[in-house]
Amino acid sequence: MRRPDQLPDEVQRDLAAIDAALAGEPADGELAELALLVRDQRPRLDPGARARLDERADARFAARRVRAPRRRALLPALGAAATILVVSVGVYGGLGARDAGEPVAPGGEAATRTAPSAERARESADEAASAPSSATAAPVAPSAGLPSRSVQRAAELLLATTPGRLDEVAGAVMRTTEALGGYVAGSAVHSRGGRGGSASFQLRVPSARLETALARLSRLARVRSRNTSSLDVTGAVVSARDRVSALEAERRGVLRQLAAAGTPEETEAARARLRAVDVRLARAKAHREELRRRVAYSTIDVELVTERRAGAGSGTNDHWTPGDGLRVAVRVLEIAAGAMLVALALLLPAALLAALGFGAWRVVRSRRREAALDGAA
Amino acid sequence: MTTSLTVPLAARTAPAQLDFDALYRSACEDVFSYVATMLRDRGAAEDVTALAFERALRRRGSYRADRGSERAWLFGIARNAALDELRRRKRTTALAGEPRDERPAPDDEAELALRRADLRTALASLAPRDRELIALRFHAGLSARELAAVLGVSESHAGTQLHRAMQRLRKACDATP
């Protein structure tokens, strides 16, 4: 950069003379004299214009004076913070939805994904569970004026445990079922001697104790998913019952015909008819009993898998420990860090683009302003 | 041997407070003179002066004492406001607010009045950039340093440009019949 003392001597001399003349000091030179003339030519504010300006200044400045001058500087920071917060919540929410099957705490209740209809049925089932249990059926407590409902209920449970505890948990599943008055309808255990494996069980437990059974089974290992469903079979039960009653009435009629038979042909015909009715009656009763069993006993399909991750298979002896708290805290920090990273990945390019755009806009604006000077007459 | 170093921390950390009322009172007339010379329209100059102070008040948080004087900062804003007005109008009008002094002058003042009229004509004939330099230096009363700060150039460059503008003004005066 050229300094003032690097100006040509003539220019320096003229500028010094101008400065001296403006300062009221004696100065020689045509430019100094011209400078004084130019200064005297300056447009001046007349009193009216000055008063108008003062008035406008008072009116326009008054409102702005009360504002904090730094407030605008905080806006970008507040905007960035709000954006990060929104992105964090969104990302955390997304991860939370993906991990819906994760336990809130080791051994605790897992988030349950239940279809709306199944959820409604589960509420009905809860009401049924509070009613006195029946050995043969588990009808929902009847409402006034309505017949009692027969509901067939089922559940699916996916449990995860460590490879070394597969056999232990499998045994506990069966013991728990029997302790609740249920039975194991089917099972398959594939164990690789402490190196993993899997097991599956088809359990039948009294419907009145379904919730208890699910709670106890859930404590045996880490719950990865739990689904419940229900089906109202009241119509089928009533229909089966009515059919049995009708067939019994028909059988009584046939017996009366048999008693009244006077000839061997009539007797044989009545007996043949009685056999046919007995067959149909036996089928109807079997169907009715099958329905009663379905209602009285709920099905639980248990899938048991092994995994090596922390928290799996903690089982019945699990308690909320400082280690668990630490793991949850680390997980939360991981999610928060991930959210911040995503937010940065989104914001950084946007901020760069905005900065580039702002810079370009300022350059263009500055050039246009300068061009206004060139274009002015 | 122990040496001590005194660092004016307060001056570095605490930005100088801008006394806006005092700045308005001291610079209002100068801003108007500069803008009026640029626009050659007293009414528009009044509006632009008010706008410049309003912008300055709005941006008073951006003032940094280490970047220049308050006046240089204010005239930077006023210059932008004047150039925006020039762009908006796309045309210039004659300076209406500086009527010639029609009073009969004594003989010794007649010569001076004539020279002033010639100067006014010469000034109007200058290129806008030259007129701006002269307006900032002689009508607004900026120092050479402030002039350089407003134009965003070095002090020597500003001095050179001003010297050239004055030379051209002198020639224009000489050329005026």
Side-chain angles (χ1 to χ4, degrees):
Chain A
M1 182 186 293
R2 198 174 184 186
R3 300 175 64 81
D5 55 2
Q6 293 173 317
L7 291 169
D9 290 342
E10 183 195 350
V11 175
Q12 280 195 54
R13 199 168 45 247
D14 286 345
L15 291 179
I18 289 172
D19 288 343
L22 292 176
E25 298 167 4
D28 292 331
E30 204 175 346
L31 289 187
E33 190 185 346
L34 186 59
L36 288 177
L37 272 175
V38 170
R39 188 182 65 179
D40 290 343
Q41 288 287 88
R42 67 178 297 200
R44 296 181 190 282
L45 267 175
D46 56 71
R50 177 66 192 235
R52 283 195 299 274
L53 266 179
D54 288 347
E55 191 179 341
R56 290 169 71 170
D58 284 342
R60 294 188 182 184
F61 301 173
R64 295 193 180 277
R65 279 197 188 107
V66 297
R67 293 183 190 167
R70 300 281 178 195
R71 187 180 296 173
R72 288 171 66 90
L74 291 174
L75 287 176
L78 287 174
T83 306
I84 289 174
L85 184 66
V86 167
V87 172
S88 302
V89 168
V91 170
Y92 187 80
L95 290 175
R98 194 188 64 190
D99 294 345
E102 297 291 322
V104 175
E109 288 294 325
T112 305
R113 272 179 280 187
T114 311
S117 58
E119 199 168 351
R120 284 194 300 272
R122 189 175 165 190
E123 290 169 6
S124 306
D126 289 341
E127 292 174 15
S130 62
S133 63
S134 164
T136 55
V140 176
S143 303
L146 291 174
S148 62
R149 312 300 299 175
S150 297
V151 179
Q152 182 181 326
R153 301 169 67 198
E156 292 175 1
L157 208 53
L158 178 58
L159 302 176
T161 187
T162 53
R165 294 191 66 241
L166 178 68
D167 294 335
E168 178 191 339
V169 175
V173 167
M174 290 188 273
R175 285 194 299 277
T176 302
T177 306
E178 289 165 3
L180 290 169
Y183 61 94
V184 179
S187 69
V189 179
H190 305 286
S191 175
R192 295 201 296 267
R195 287 179 288 111
S198 63
S200 60
F201 305 90
Q202 291 79 45
L203 310 177
R204 301 285 187 270
V205 294
S207 293
R209 310 183 79 171
L210 175 62
E211 290 302 323
T212 308
L214 288 174
R216 288 189 185 181
L217 290 170
S218 296
R219 285 198 292 269
L220 295 177
R222 195 175 72 85
V223 178
R224 286 175 63 174
S225 72
R226 171 178 151 167
N227 298 310
T228 57
S229 61
S230 63
L231 180 65
D232 191 327
V233 291
T234 306
V237 168
V238 170
S239 173
R241 188 181 59 207
D242 292 348
R243 180 164 175 75
V244 168
S245 298
L247 285 170
E248 283 175 343
E250 185 178 348
R251 187 174 189 275
R252 283 193 295 273
V254 173
L255 283 176
R256 280 195 295 273
Q257 286 179 6
L258 184 62
T263 64
E265 289 78 14
E266 286 178 352
T267 302
E268 188 55 35
R271 282 184 175 176
R273 193 177 167 198
L274 184 60
R275 284 194 294 273
V277 169
D278 281 346
V279 169
R280 284 158 52 206
L281 181 60
R283 285 178 186 164
K285 282 183 175 177
H287 180 58
R288 187 188 63 184
E289 288 308 310
E290 173 62 20
L291 283 174
R292 279 183 176 175
R293 264 199 308 278
R294 285 186 197 170
V295 172
Y297 283 84
S298 296
T299 304
I300 305 177
D301 289 333
V302 178
E303 197 74 26
L304 180 61
V305 296
T306 57
E307 60 182 15
R308 294 187 178 277
R309 58 178 294 175
S314 33
T316 5
N317 296 326
D318 280 346
H319 298 287
W320 180 254
T321 64
D324 299 330
L326 186 64
R327 278 193 292 275
V328 171
V330 168
R331 179 73 177 140
V332 169
L333 286 177
E334 282 175 359
I335 292 170
M340 294 288 286
L341 204 61
V342 171
L344 274 180
L346 291 174
L347 287 179
L348 212 58
L352 278 175
L353 283 175
L356 282 174
F358 182 67
W361 174 72
R362 289 193 66 167
V363 168
V364 169
R365 187 181 59 172
S366 176
R367 286 184 179 173
R368 282 182 178 171
R369 278 174 173 160
E370 296 297 328
L373 265 183
D374 295 331
Chain B
M1 182 179 175
T2 305
T3 58
S4 62
L5 179 66
T6 304
V7 179
L9 281 175
R12 286 188 180 182
T13 54
Q17 288 295 315
L18 189 64
D19 187 347
F20 201 83
D21 288 335
L23 182 62
Y24 172 78
R25 282 192 300 273
S26 67
C28 181
E29 180 93 25
D30 296 337
V31 170
F32 174 80
S33 297
Y34 159 67
V35 175
T37 304
M38 288 294 295
L39 301 180
R40 295 191 291 168
D41 181 337
R42 293 184 65 92
E46 203 176 308
D47 289 339
V48 171
T49 300
L51 177 66
F53 276 102
E54 191 178 354
R55 282 187 187 176
L57 180 68
R58 198 164 57 231
R59 299 174 192 170
R60 65 189 186 277
S62 68
Y63 168 67
R64 297 286 180 272
D66 55 349
R67 292 183 187 171
S69 68
E70 296 174 357
R71 284 172 62 84
W73 170 77
L74 174 65
F75 273 91
I77 293 172
R79 180 175 187 257
N80 285 337
L83 295 184
D84 286 343
E85 175 64 16
L86 275 179
R87 279 183 58 208
R88 192 183 67 80
R89 298 178 349 149
K90 297 283 187 185
R91 61 185 175 85
T92 55
T93 57
L95 182 58
E98 285 298 310
R100 292 171 185 268
D101 191 354
E102 302 293 342
R103 293 175 298 176
D107 289 343
D108 56 341
E109 291 184 3
E111 177 71 18
L112 186 58
L114 187 61
R115 289 190 64 186
R116 284 177 176 167
D118 293 344
L119 177 61
R120 194 181 294 117
T121 305
L123 197 56
S125 70
L126 281 182
R129 287 189 185 280
D130 290 340
R131 195 163 64 242
E132 181 185 39
L133 280 162
I134 290 169
L136 285 170
R137 181 72 179 93
F138 304 113
H139 290 176
L142 295 188
S143 67
R145 183 185 296 271
E146 289 170 339
L147 179 64
V150 170
L151 298 178
V153 297
S154 68
E155 219 173 310
S156 62
H157 184 72
T160 304
Q161 294 298 315
L162 179 65
H163 187 263
R164 287 177 185 166
M166 289 298 284
Q167 294 280 18
R168 281 192 277 266
L169 180 63
R170 186 181 61 184
K171 286 179 184 173
C173 286
D174 293 343
T176 304

